[in-house]
Amino acid sequence: MTPTTLADFLLPDGFGRPRAHAVIGEGRVIGEAGRYAWEAISQRGERWNTPYAHRAPMRGDEPVLLVPGFMAGDGTLALMRRALQQQGLRTYRSHIHANVGCTLSVATQIERRLESIAQRRGTKVRIVGHSLGGMLARGVAARRPDLVSGLVTMGSPMLAPGAHHVGLSASVAMLVRLSRAGFPGLMSEDCVAGACARQSFDEGRHPLADSIDFTAIYSKRDGIVDWRACIDPLATPLEVGASHVGMALDPRVIAAVRQALRPAPSVVEVDRGEIA
């Protein structure tokens, strides 16, 4: 095993990497972004025709934390966050600027963020995680059922984290080399082939409390990860037709996420303030 090779247990039998040319399909994200823009314009027109007193959404009392994927930050989920806010959900950023660090450290960061939100709102939190963000959120939810009431993953290969495109492996290898060269805060060899990788993988497969709603969104058009690895046996599977990157902004996926988050407390209040 070379220093930048992923551990074998991250790619169990029965799963595989998407074909090299599969990534071409990720170009659909342009059309998915256009679909978002068109829907946003249409909804803006509807709001203009709605009396001002009726524009404020009725907000559920349960907050939602959004966690970005590998090499991504909160900005990649900004459009989804905005759309969910407009539909009445309290959304919160993870404060992850670039998801490139040790997976155990990032999971700890997510856990602390959950503690902060839960303390502020006085209730449990629902999590929406994209790709690696969903995998890490899955482990945190298993460890802290006292903080989490629901989980939605999007294109998160929890069953086989190594079942991803070779281009993604190259990015992982680059981070490992930079870490070895002395750059701090990046994935190290231990994070992809050692005890750290083993612990992260195992935590992402632990049982979840019955009180946690779990929906795993996947797409057979995913050009980055093996869609089969995204269907956790403990989750309610939900297929969409988006690209891997496009899951973060495709209106059809946002609608699916909103539907998955629909179970919520009956207490509501009007809150037009900007969510942190």
Side-chain angles (χ1 to χ4, degrees):
M1 178 182 295
T2 62
T4 57
T5 300
L6 295 173
D8 292 339
F9 60 79
L10 296 179
L11 186 57
D13 293 339
F15 302 99
R17 299 174 181 271
R19 295 180 179 180
H21 67 270
V23 73
I24 297 176
E26 289 298 304
R28 287 192 301 273
V29 69
I30 298 175
E32 291 158 347
R35 189 178 295 116
Y36 179 96
W38 175 257
E39 184 160 314
I41 293 172
S42 299
Q43 291 178 351
R44 182 179 303 172
E46 292 177 4
R47 286 196 295 273
W48 283 344
N49 294 323
T50 301
Y52 182 81
H54 299 288
R55 291 181 188 177
M58 298 299 289
R59 297 198 182 277
D61 199 40
E62 208 163 49
V64 178
L65 174 65
L66 285 82
V67 185
F70 176 60
M71 297 190 77
D74 287 329
T76 61
L77 294 174
L79 296 180
M80 175 174 287
R81 186 172 65 249
R82 179 183 304 173
L84 293 177
Q85 286 176 9
Q86 292 173 347
Q87 295 177 48
L89 292 173
R90 298 180 183 275
T91 64
Y92 289 83
R93 301 176 180 87
S94 66
H95 293 170
I96 295 175
H97 302 296
N99 200 346
V100 295
C102 167
T103 51
L104 293 182
S105 296
V106 177
T108 298
Q109 180 179 346
I110 294 171
E111 185 174 349
R112 290 174 178 170
R113 181 65 171 143
L114 285 170
E115 291 175 340
S116 174
I117 297 171
Q119 182 177 19
R120 175 180 177 182
R121 303 306 322 174
T123 183
K124 291 184 179 181
V125 183
R126 293 180 179 273
I127 313 176
V128 176
H130 184 211
S131 196
L132 175 60
M135 294 164 56
L136 297 176
R138 167 71 170 80
V140 175
R143 185 168 65 249
R144 295 299 304 272
D146 58 312
L147 296 175
V148 181
S149 61
L151 173 65
V152 180
T153 58
M154 304 180 295
S156 302
M158 294 155 289
L159 304 184
H164 56 243
H165 193 272
V166 292
L168 199 61
S169 293
S171 297
V172 172
M174 176 190 68
L175 292 177
V176 171
R177 288 196 295 271
L178 290 173
S179 177
R180 194 182 306 120
F183 286 84
L186 302 178
M187 287 184 180
S188 67
E189 182 179 347
D190 190 47
C191 295
V192 299
C196 176
R198 179 84 253 183
Q199 182 176 341
S200 293
F201 180 59
D202 290 344
E203 288 184 354
R205 296 166 66 91
H206 285 170
L208 289 173
D210 293 337
S211 60
I212 298 177
D213 297 317
F214 182 14
T215 300
I217 295 175
Y218 69 96
S219 173
K220 293 182 179 179
R221 295 183 175 183
D222 197 314
I224 302 298
V225 303
D226 184 346
W227 63 268
R228 298 171 300 173
C230 302
I231 306 177
D232 192 299
L234 299 182
T236 298
L238 182 57
E239 182 179 356
V240 296
S243 65
H244 184 83
V245 176
M247 287 186 190
L249 49 81
D250 191 315
R252 298 170 299 181
V253 179
I254 294 174
V257 170
R258 179 66 185 94
Q259 183 62 37
L261 294 172
R262 196 165 292 280
S266 57
V267 178
V268 296
E269 64 177 340
V270 175
D271 181 358
R272 294 185 57 81
E274 181 179 354
I275 305 301

